[in-house]
Amino acid sequence: MVKSNDNSSYKRGQELLDQGLFQEAIQQFDESLKEQPGSWKALNSKGFAYQKMSKYTEAVECFDKALEINPQSVEVLNNKGVTLSMRGLYKDAIACFDQAVAADPTSLEALNGKAIALQHMFSYKEALDVLEQAMKIDSKHTQTLLSIAVTLQKLKQYERAISFFKKVLSSDKTNIKAWNGVGVTYQLMGDNNSALKCFTKILNINNREIQAWISIGFVYQKIGKFGDALKCYKKAQMVINNRYHHKLYDGLASCLTKLSEFDQAIEVYKQIFQREEGKKKWDAQRSIKFVNKLKRKKAIGTLTPPTGAEAPADPLADVLG
């Protein structure tokens, strides 16, 4: 989250940021910094724009410059922590969130960020401990309830996870993240029909919600309907005008692999590799090697068609958005 200041270029940058025009926003923040070189807010917003473009190295550089000016900014520390987490640098991310909590013990964003990083490190019980701290601050905080539900999913406490998602839905029946979370939980329980109903519910709320299309595509992949899955991913591509979206591209590449469209799958994985950093980048590189291996086997007639269990796309990481 970013805040405003009195600089007109900054305000225009914020407007562009809200519209998803990240490169244009960065140009405005650069203009703002020419007018006010010491503006940590402009640096923070510029870093946030880079984060949205998956340019994590540039984002962290901006946040570090902002922290040189205002080292106690909880907002910047949280943004840096989220970005480091996206890069897979979870220990460094936790250090940022701890600094943010030290500056503001009531920062729910910092506590949730730390919990999510711990989830990625498979430290689920520690994540729950952090989220219990957050619950003491606000027991009805939506993000905290969602974070708890996701952690319980990871611990395979599926009924409890659903109960926390439903707590969110009890106060907001249109909460897409909660519906997606319930759907994913049913999916993990092996109840694909209930999962599809939840994801369809999301499309009834907003038929341009790409996560629902991705999630439905994933279910179709799991039950071997790869052609139907591909249609869902293509629909998601249309919704976002072919803009880059990691989970969409990952699911699309996985589906193309299962359909033995190896050249197309490799091209999609290459795009992921070019755009991402950290774990996602290296996962894409590993997938390229895997698909090339399948391609060679097909060429010599020794290919065994891949099953739904190979190289799955996992919509669970997108439950917190």
PDB file of all heavy atoms in Angstrom, residues 200-227:
ATOM      1  N   THR A 200     -17.139 -21.770  -9.783  1.00  0.00           N
ATOM      2  CA  THR A 200     -18.205 -21.232 -10.629  1.00  0.00           C
ATOM      3  C   THR A 200     -18.930 -20.101  -9.913  1.00  0.00           C
ATOM      4  O   THR A 200     -19.360 -19.125 -10.546  1.00  0.00           O
ATOM      5  CB  THR A 200     -19.192 -22.347 -11.008  1.00  0.00           C
ATOM      6  OG1 THR A 200     -18.484 -23.394 -11.691  1.00  0.00           O
ATOM      7  CG2 THR A 200     -20.286 -21.815 -11.928  1.00  0.00           C
ATOM      8  N   LYS A 201     -19.067 -20.232  -8.594  1.00  0.00           N
ATOM      9  CA  LYS A 201     -19.675 -19.158  -7.798  1.00  0.00           C
ATOM     10  C   LYS A 201     -18.900 -17.857  -7.985  1.00  0.00           C
ATOM     11  O   LYS A 201     -19.494 -16.770  -8.088  1.00  0.00           O
ATOM     12  CB  LYS A 201     -19.681 -19.566  -6.320  1.00  0.00           C
ATOM     13  CG  LYS A 201     -20.185 -18.483  -5.364  1.00  0.00           C
ATOM     14  CD  LYS A 201     -21.666 -18.246  -5.517  1.00  0.00           C
ATOM     15  CE  LYS A 201     -22.164 -17.256  -4.467  1.00  0.00           C
ATOM     16  NZ  LYS A 201     -23.607 -16.979  -4.610  1.00  0.00           N
ATOM     17  N   ILE A 202     -17.582 -17.958  -8.039  1.00  0.00           N
ATOM     18  CA  ILE A 202     -16.756 -16.769  -8.255  1.00  0.00           C
ATOM     19  C   ILE A 202     -17.089 -16.132  -9.596  1.00  0.00           C
ATOM     20  O   ILE A 202     -17.230 -14.908  -9.705  1.00  0.00           O
ATOM     21  CB  ILE A 202     -15.255 -17.140  -8.199  1.00  0.00           C
ATOM     22  CG1 ILE A 202     -14.877 -17.618  -6.794  1.00  0.00           C
ATOM     23  CG2 ILE A 202     -14.393 -15.945  -8.597  1.00  0.00           C
ATOM     24  CD1 ILE A 202     -13.473 -18.179  -6.699  1.00  0.00           C
ATOM     25  N   LEU A 203     -17.238 -16.957 -10.634  1.00  0.00           N
ATOM     26  CA  LEU A 203     -17.543 -16.422 -11.961  1.00  0.00           C
ATOM     27  C   LEU A 203     -18.932 -15.797 -11.999  1.00  0.00           C
ATOM     28  O   LEU A 203     -19.183 -14.876 -12.782  1.00  0.00           O
ATOM     29  CB  LEU A 203     -17.425 -17.518 -13.015  1.00  0.00           C
ATOM     30  CG  LEU A 203     -16.014 -18.073 -13.224  1.00  0.00           C
ATOM     31  CD1 LEU A 203     -16.021 -19.177 -14.267  1.00  0.00           C
ATOM     32  CD2 LEU A 203     -15.047 -16.962 -13.639  1.00  0.00           C
ATOM     33  N   ASN A 204     -19.845 -16.276 -11.139  1.00  0.00           N
ATOM     34  CA  ASN A 204     -21.164 -15.649 -11.039  1.00  0.00           C
ATOM     35  C   ASN A 204     -21.066 -14.259 -10.413  1.00  0.00           C
ATOM     36  O   ASN A 204     -21.869 -13.372 -10.712  1.00  0.00           O
ATOM     37  CB  ASN A 204     -22.115 -16.520 -10.213  1.00  0.00           C
ATOM     38  CG  ASN A 204     -22.503 -17.797 -10.934  1.00  0.00           C
ATOM     39  OD1 ASN A 204     -22.475 -17.845 -12.164  1.00  0.00           O
ATOM     40  ND2 ASN A 204     -22.848 -18.826 -10.186  1.00  0.00           N
ATOM     41  N   ILE A 205     -20.063 -14.080  -9.551  1.00  0.00           N
ATOM     42  CA  ILE A 205     -19.819 -12.773  -8.939  1.00  0.00           C
ATOM     43  C   ILE A 205     -19.113 -11.858  -9.930  1.00  0.00           C
ATOM     44  O   ILE A 205     -19.449 -10.681 -10.080  1.00  0.00           O
ATOM     45  CB  ILE A 205     -18.966 -12.931  -7.655  1.00  0.00           C
ATOM     46  CG1 ILE A 205     -19.728 -13.760  -6.614  1.00  0.00           C
ATOM     47  CG2 ILE A 205     -18.601 -11.567  -7.078  1.00  0.00           C
ATOM     48  CD1 ILE A 205     -18.867 -14.195  -5.439  1.00  0.00           C
ATOM     49  N   ASN A 206     -18.108 -12.427 -10.620  1.00  0.00           N
ATOM     50  CA  ASN A 206     -17.327 -11.658 -11.589  1.00  0.00           C
ATOM     51  C   ASN A 206     -16.757 -12.617 -12.623  1.00  0.00           C
ATOM     52  O   ASN A 206     -15.803 -13.342 -12.344  1.00  0.00           O
ATOM     53  CB  ASN A 206     -16.203 -10.895 -10.885  1.00  0.00           C
ATOM     54  CG  ASN A 206     -15.337 -10.106 -11.853  1.00  0.00           C
ATOM     55  OD1 ASN A 206     -15.636 -10.020 -13.048  1.00  0.00           O
ATOM     56  ND2 ASN A 206     -14.252  -9.536 -11.353  1.00  0.00           N
ATOM     57  N   ASN A 207     -17.346 -12.625 -13.821  1.00  0.00           N
ATOM     58  CA  ASN A 207     -16.911 -13.589 -14.835  1.00  0.00           C
ATOM     59  C   ASN A 207     -15.579 -13.225 -15.477  1.00  0.00           C
ATOM     60  O   ASN A 207     -15.101 -13.923 -16.364  1.00  0.00           O
ATOM     61  CB  ASN A 207     -17.980 -13.788 -15.913  1.00  0.00           C
ATOM     62  CG  ASN A 207     -18.216 -12.543 -16.756  1.00  0.00           C
ATOM     63  OD1 ASN A 207     -17.538 -11.525 -16.595  1.00  0.00           O
ATOM     64  ND2 ASN A 207     -19.186 -12.617 -17.641  1.00  0.00           N
ATOM     65  N   ARG A 208     -14.977 -12.131 -15.027  1.00  0.00           N
ATOM     66  CA  ARG A 208     -13.655 -11.745 -15.494  1.00  0.00           C
ATOM     67  C   ARG A 208     -12.581 -12.015 -14.433  1.00  0.00           C
ATOM     68  O   ARG A 208     -11.461 -11.529 -14.538  1.00  0.00           O
ATOM     69  CB  ARG A 208     -13.636 -10.265 -15.896  1.00  0.00           C
ATOM     70  CG  ARG A 208     -14.547  -9.960 -17.076  1.00  0.00           C
ATOM     71  CD  ARG A 208     -14.458  -8.500 -17.484  1.00  0.00           C
ATOM     72  NE  ARG A 208     -13.111  -8.121 -17.920  1.00  0.00           N
ATOM     73  CZ  ARG A 208     -12.618  -8.374 -19.128  1.00  0.00           C
ATOM     74  NH1 ARG A 208     -13.359  -8.998 -20.027  1.00  0.00           N
ATOM     75  NH2 ARG A 208     -11.392  -7.984 -19.451  1.00  0.00           N
ATOM     76  N   GLU A 209     -12.926 -12.800 -13.437  1.00  0.00           N
ATOM     77  CA  GLU A 209     -11.980 -13.136 -12.374  1.00  0.00           C
ATOM     78  C   GLU A 209     -11.066 -14.262 -12.858  1.00  0.00           C
ATOM     79  O   GLU A 209     -11.470 -15.435 -12.932  1.00  0.00           O
ATOM     80  CB  GLU A 209     -12.732 -13.552 -11.115  1.00  0.00           C
ATOM     81  CG  GLU A 209     -11.848 -13.965  -9.958  1.00  0.00           C
ATOM     82  CD  GLU A 209     -10.832 -12.906  -9.582  1.00  0.00           C
ATOM     83  OE1 GLU A 209     -11.216 -11.729  -9.428  1.00  0.00           O
ATOM     84  OE2 GLU A 209      -9.640 -13.265  -9.459  1.00  0.00           O
ATOM     85  N   ILE A 210      -9.837 -13.907 -13.201  1.00  0.00           N
ATOM     86  CA  ILE A 210      -8.969 -14.890 -13.853  1.00  0.00           C
ATOM     87  C   ILE A 210      -8.581 -16.039 -12.929  1.00  0.00           C
ATOM     88  O   ILE A 210      -8.357 -17.160 -13.386  1.00  0.00           O
ATOM     89  CB  ILE A 210      -7.710 -14.236 -14.454  1.00  0.00           C
ATOM     90  CG1 ILE A 210      -6.825 -13.623 -13.371  1.00  0.00           C
ATOM     91  CG2 ILE A 210      -8.071 -13.227 -15.496  1.00  0.00           C
ATOM     92  CD1 ILE A 210      -5.452 -13.242 -13.908  1.00  0.00           C
ATOM     93  N   GLN A 211      -8.513 -15.777 -11.594  1.00  0.00           N
ATOM     94  CA  GLN A 211      -8.138 -16.870 -10.702  1.00  0.00           C
ATOM     95  C   GLN A 211      -9.148 -18.009 -10.774  1.00  0.00           C
ATOM     96  O   GLN A 211      -8.780 -19.182 -10.697  1.00  0.00           O
ATOM     97  CB  GLN A 211      -8.006 -16.376  -9.263  1.00  0.00           C
ATOM     98  CG  GLN A 211      -7.627 -17.470  -8.271  1.00  0.00           C
ATOM     99  CD  GLN A 211      -6.356 -18.189  -8.660  1.00  0.00           C
ATOM    100  OE1 GLN A 211      -5.341 -17.572  -8.929  1.00  0.00           O
ATOM    101  NE2 GLN A 211      -6.397 -19.514  -8.710  1.00  0.00           N
ATOM    102  N   ALA A 212     -10.427 -17.675 -10.950  1.00  0.00           N
ATOM    103  CA  ALA A 212     -11.445 -18.717 -11.052  1.00  0.00           C
ATOM    104  C   ALA A 212     -11.233 -19.551 -12.314  1.00  0.00           C
ATOM    105  O   ALA A 212     -11.317 -20.786 -12.285  1.00  0.00           O
ATOM    106  CB  ALA A 212     -12.836 -18.099 -11.051  1.00  0.00           C
ATOM    107  N   TRP A 213     -10.944 -18.887 -13.431  1.00  0.00           N
ATOM    108  CA  TRP A 213     -10.685 -19.611 -14.672  1.00  0.00           C
ATOM    109  C   TRP A 213      -9.460 -20.506 -14.516  1.00  0.00           C
ATOM    110  O   TRP A 213      -9.444 -21.649 -14.988  1.00  0.00           O
ATOM    111  CB  TRP A 213     -10.484 -18.638 -15.833  1.00  0.00           C
ATOM    112  CG  TRP A 213     -11.737 -17.948 -16.270  1.00  0.00           C
ATOM    113  CD1 TRP A 213     -12.056 -16.630 -16.124  1.00  0.00           C
ATOM    114  CD2 TRP A 213     -12.856 -18.554 -16.935  1.00  0.00           C
ATOM    115  NE1 TRP A 213     -13.305 -16.367 -16.642  1.00  0.00           N
ATOM    116  CE2 TRP A 213     -13.809 -17.528 -17.158  1.00  0.00           C
ATOM    117  CE3 TRP A 213     -13.137 -19.851 -17.375  1.00  0.00           C
ATOM    118  CZ2 TRP A 213     -15.030 -17.770 -17.793  1.00  0.00           C
ATOM    119  CZ3 TRP A 213     -14.349 -20.092 -18.002  1.00  0.00           C
ATOM    120  CH2 TRP A 213     -15.276 -19.069 -18.214  1.00  0.00           C
ATOM    121  N   ILE A 214      -8.422 -19.992 -13.838  1.00  0.00           N
ATOM    122  CA  ILE A 214      -7.211 -20.776 -13.622  1.00  0.00           C
ATOM    123  C   ILE A 214      -7.515 -21.984 -12.731  1.00  0.00           C
ATOM    124  O   ILE A 214      -7.081 -23.103 -13.005  1.00  0.00           O
ATOM    125  CB  ILE A 214      -6.104 -19.912 -12.998  1.00  0.00           C
ATOM    126  CG1 ILE A 214      -5.659 -18.823 -13.977  1.00  0.00           C
ATOM    127  CG2 ILE A 214      -4.903 -20.771 -12.596  1.00  0.00           C
ATOM    128  CD1 ILE A 214      -4.752 -17.771 -13.370  1.00  0.00           C
ATOM    129  N   SER A 215      -8.279 -21.743 -11.673  1.00  0.00           N
ATOM    130  CA  SER A 215      -8.601 -22.826 -10.733  1.00  0.00           C
ATOM    131  C   SER A 215      -9.448 -23.907 -11.395  1.00  0.00           C
ATOM    132  O   SER A 215      -9.228 -25.106 -11.177  1.00  0.00           O
ATOM    133  CB  SER A 215      -9.334 -22.259  -9.517  1.00  0.00           C
ATOM    134  OG  SER A 215      -8.498 -21.392  -8.779  1.00  0.00           O
ATOM    135  N   ILE A 216     -10.420 -23.498 -12.209  1.00  0.00           N
ATOM    136  CA  ILE A 216     -11.234 -24.480 -12.929  1.00  0.00           C
ATOM    137  C   ILE A 216     -10.359 -25.269 -13.897  1.00  0.00           C
ATOM    138  O   ILE A 216     -10.477 -26.494 -14.025  1.00  0.00           O
ATOM    139  CB  ILE A 216     -12.393 -23.792 -13.663  1.00  0.00           C
ATOM    140  CG1 ILE A 216     -13.397 -23.217 -12.650  1.00  0.00           C
ATOM    141  CG2 ILE A 216     -13.120 -24.777 -14.596  1.00  0.00           C
ATOM    142  CD1 ILE A 216     -14.470 -22.347 -13.264  1.00  0.00           C
ATOM    143  N   GLY A 217      -9.453 -24.553 -14.568  1.00  0.00           N
ATOM    144  CA  GLY A 217      -8.522 -25.226 -15.462  1.00  0.00           C
ATOM    145  C   GLY A 217      -7.691 -26.268 -14.726  1.00  0.00           C
ATOM    146  O   GLY A 217      -7.460 -27.382 -15.226  1.00  0.00           O
ATOM    147  N   PHE A 218      -7.275 -25.933 -13.520  1.00  0.00           N
ATOM    148  CA  PHE A 218      -6.469 -26.863 -12.732  1.00  0.00           C
ATOM    149  C   PHE A 218      -7.269 -28.112 -12.375  1.00  0.00           C
ATOM    150  O   PHE A 218      -6.764 -29.233 -12.461  1.00  0.00           O
ATOM    151  CB  PHE A 218      -5.973 -26.170 -11.466  1.00  0.00           C
ATOM    152  CG  PHE A 218      -5.166 -27.065 -10.572  1.00  0.00           C
ATOM    153  CD1 PHE A 218      -3.892 -27.466 -10.944  1.00  0.00           C
ATOM    154  CD2 PHE A 218      -5.670 -27.518  -9.363  1.00  0.00           C
ATOM    155  CE1 PHE A 218      -3.143 -28.305 -10.128  1.00  0.00           C
ATOM    156  CE2 PHE A 218      -4.940 -28.354  -8.548  1.00  0.00           C
ATOM    157  CZ  PHE A 218      -3.669 -28.744  -8.932  1.00  0.00           C
ATOM    158  N   VAL A 219      -8.543 -27.918 -11.976  1.00  0.00           N
ATOM    159  CA  VAL A 219      -9.377 -29.081 -11.653  1.00  0.00           C
ATOM    160  C   VAL A 219      -9.530 -29.977 -12.876  1.00  0.00           C
ATOM    161  O   VAL A 219      -9.411 -31.206 -12.793  1.00  0.00           O
ATOM    162  CB  VAL A 219     -10.761 -28.646 -11.136  1.00  0.00           C
ATOM    163  CG1 VAL A 219     -11.658 -29.878 -10.931  1.00  0.00           C
ATOM    164  CG2 VAL A 219     -10.634 -27.898  -9.816  1.00  0.00           C
ATOM    165  N   TYR A 220      -9.789 -29.372 -14.029  1.00  0.00           N
ATOM    166  CA  TYR A 220      -9.917 -30.166 -15.254  1.00  0.00           C
ATOM    167  C   TYR A 220      -8.634 -30.943 -15.546  1.00  0.00           C
ATOM    168  O   TYR A 220      -8.669 -32.086 -15.998  1.00  0.00           O
ATOM    169  CB  TYR A 220     -10.264 -29.270 -16.443  1.00  0.00           C
ATOM    170  CG  TYR A 220     -11.724 -28.884 -16.518  1.00  0.00           C
ATOM    171  CD1 TYR A 220     -12.112 -27.601 -16.901  1.00  0.00           C
ATOM    172  CD2 TYR A 220     -12.734 -29.799 -16.205  1.00  0.00           C
ATOM    173  CE1 TYR A 220     -13.449 -27.244 -16.971  1.00  0.00           C
ATOM    174  CE2 TYR A 220     -14.070 -29.454 -16.271  1.00  0.00           C
ATOM    175  CZ  TYR A 220     -14.426 -28.178 -16.666  1.00  0.00           C
ATOM    176  OH  TYR A 220     -15.744 -27.833 -16.738  1.00  0.00           O
ATOM    177  N   GLN A 221      -7.473 -30.314 -15.276  1.00  0.00           N
ATOM    178  CA  GLN A 221      -6.215 -31.037 -15.462  1.00  0.00           C
ATOM    179  C   GLN A 221      -6.139 -32.241 -14.528  1.00  0.00           C
ATOM    180  O   GLN A 221      -5.721 -33.323 -14.926  1.00  0.00           O
ATOM    181  CB  GLN A 221      -5.026 -30.110 -15.194  1.00  0.00           C
ATOM    182  CG  GLN A 221      -4.703 -29.182 -16.356  1.00  0.00           C
ATOM    183  CD  GLN A 221      -3.391 -28.454 -16.139  1.00  0.00           C
ATOM    184  OE1 GLN A 221      -3.354 -27.249 -16.168  1.00  0.00           O
ATOM    185  NE2 GLN A 221      -2.311 -29.192 -15.948  1.00  0.00           N
ATOM    186  N   LYS A 222      -6.548 -32.054 -13.296  1.00  0.00           N
ATOM    187  CA  LYS A 222      -6.456 -33.127 -12.307  1.00  0.00           C
ATOM    188  C   LYS A 222      -7.325 -34.324 -12.690  1.00  0.00           C
ATOM    189  O   LYS A 222      -6.998 -35.463 -12.357  1.00  0.00           O
ATOM    190  CB  LYS A 222      -6.871 -32.615 -10.924  1.00  0.00           C
ATOM    191  CG  LYS A 222      -5.919 -31.602 -10.331  1.00  0.00           C
ATOM    192  CD  LYS A 222      -4.556 -32.204 -10.024  1.00  0.00           C
ATOM    193  CE  LYS A 222      -4.553 -33.107  -8.823  1.00  0.00           C
ATOM    194  NZ  LYS A 222      -3.182 -33.585  -8.483  1.00  0.00           N
ATOM    195  N   ILE A 223      -8.449 -34.056 -13.388  1.00  0.00           N
ATOM    196  CA  ILE A 223      -9.325 -35.165 -13.761  1.00  0.00           C
ATOM    197  C   ILE A 223      -9.085 -35.600 -15.211  1.00  0.00           C
ATOM    198  O   ILE A 223      -9.845 -36.386 -15.772  1.00  0.00           O
ATOM    199  CB  ILE A 223     -10.808 -34.817 -13.535  1.00  0.00           C
ATOM    200  CG1 ILE A 223     -11.242 -33.623 -14.371  1.00  0.00           C
ATOM    201  CG2 ILE A 223     -11.062 -34.555 -12.063  1.00  0.00           C
ATOM    202  CD1 ILE A 223     -12.723 -33.253 -14.177  1.00  0.00           C
ATOM    203  N   GLY A 224      -8.014 -35.077 -15.801  1.00  0.00           N
ATOM    204  CA  GLY A 224      -7.594 -35.528 -17.116  1.00  0.00           C
ATOM    205  C   GLY A 224      -8.281 -34.877 -18.291  1.00  0.00           C
ATOM    206  O   GLY A 224      -8.108 -35.315 -19.432  1.00  0.00           O
ATOM    207  N   LYS A 225      -9.054 -33.824 -18.057  1.00  0.00           N
ATOM    208  CA  LYS A 225      -9.726 -33.116 -19.150  1.00  0.00           C
ATOM    209  C   LYS A 225      -8.849 -31.953 -19.602  1.00  0.00           C
ATOM    210  O   LYS A 225      -9.159 -30.783 -19.378  1.00  0.00           O
ATOM    211  CB  LYS A 225     -11.107 -32.628 -18.702  1.00  0.00           C
ATOM    212  CG  LYS A 225     -12.089 -33.757 -18.394  1.00  0.00           C
ATOM    213  CD  LYS A 225     -13.479 -33.212 -18.070  1.00  0.00           C
ATOM    214  CE  LYS A 225     -14.474 -34.334 -17.859  1.00  0.00           C
ATOM    215  NZ  LYS A 225     -15.840 -33.804 -17.570  1.00  0.00           N
ATOM    216  N   PHE A 226      -7.754 -32.286 -20.257  1.00  0.00           N
ATOM    217  CA  PHE A 226      -6.757 -31.282 -20.600  1.00  0.00           C
ATOM    218  C   PHE A 226      -7.250 -30.298 -21.661  1.00  0.00           C
ATOM    219  O   PHE A 226      -6.883 -29.123 -21.637  1.00  0.00           O
ATOM    220  CB  PHE A 226      -5.463 -31.962 -21.055  1.00  0.00           C
ATOM    221  CG  PHE A 226      -4.887 -32.900 -20.031  1.00  0.00           C
ATOM    222  CD1 PHE A 226      -4.554 -34.198 -20.370  1.00  0.00           C
ATOM    223  CD2 PHE A 226      -4.705 -32.488 -18.717  1.00  0.00           C
ATOM    224  CE1 PHE A 226      -4.030 -35.068 -19.418  1.00  0.00           C
ATOM    225  CE2 PHE A 226      -4.190 -33.345 -17.765  1.00  0.00           C
ATOM    226  CZ  PHE A 226      -3.847 -34.638 -18.117  1.00  0.00           C
ATOM    227  N   GLY A 227      -8.086 -30.766 -22.579  1.00  0.00           N
ATOM    228  CA  GLY A 227      -8.654 -29.868 -23.579  1.00  0.00           C
ATOM    229  C   GLY A 227      -9.531 -28.805 -22.945  1.00  0.00           C
ATOM    230  O   GLY A 227      -9.459 -27.616 -23.306  1.00  0.00           O
TER     231      GLY A 227
END
